[in-house]
Amino acid sequence: AKAAEAVDELEHLASRLRAETQQRQEALRQSLDVGHDYPKAAEQVRELKFMEKLREEINFALEALDA
């Protein structure tokens, strides 16, 4: 039961992370294509890299719970 709750929570977190990542990717596109704000874009890339690492950790946790 606890494992099922953990899986549900991790899947919910993964879903929220996907939505936030999409928003941040769009903001990055705006920074690059419209604003030509390269320092801001560099910061956004760092944030997206962190989010990707977090996504990987969530996936590892989900795999561990499925095992």
Side-chain angles (χ1 to χ4, degrees):
K2 293 269 186 192
E5 289 177 24
V7 168
D8 288 345
E9 288 295 321
L10 286 169
E11 288 176 345
H12 178 70
L13 181 59
S15 176
R16 290 177 48 206
L17 186 60
R18 275 191 299 277
E20 182 66 25
T21 298
Q22 289 174 345
Q23 292 173 353
R24 303 258 178 146
Q25 288 171 337
E26 177 58 26
L28 174 60
R29 188 190 71 74
Q30 290 289 323
S31 294
L32 290 171
D33 295 345
V34 178
H36 305 287
D37 187 346
Y38 302 112
K40 183 176 181 179
E43 179 63 30
Q44 291 167 318
V45 167
R46 284 189 288 278
E47 291 170 357
L48 285 165
K49 285 182 178 182
F50 172 80
M51 293 171 78
E52 176 63 20
K53 288 180 183 180
L54 180 58
R55 186 190 62 78
E56 289 174 1
E57 291 297 320
I58 291 169
N59 287 341
F60 290 144
L62 285 168
E63 288 173 11
L65 288 169
D66 284 341

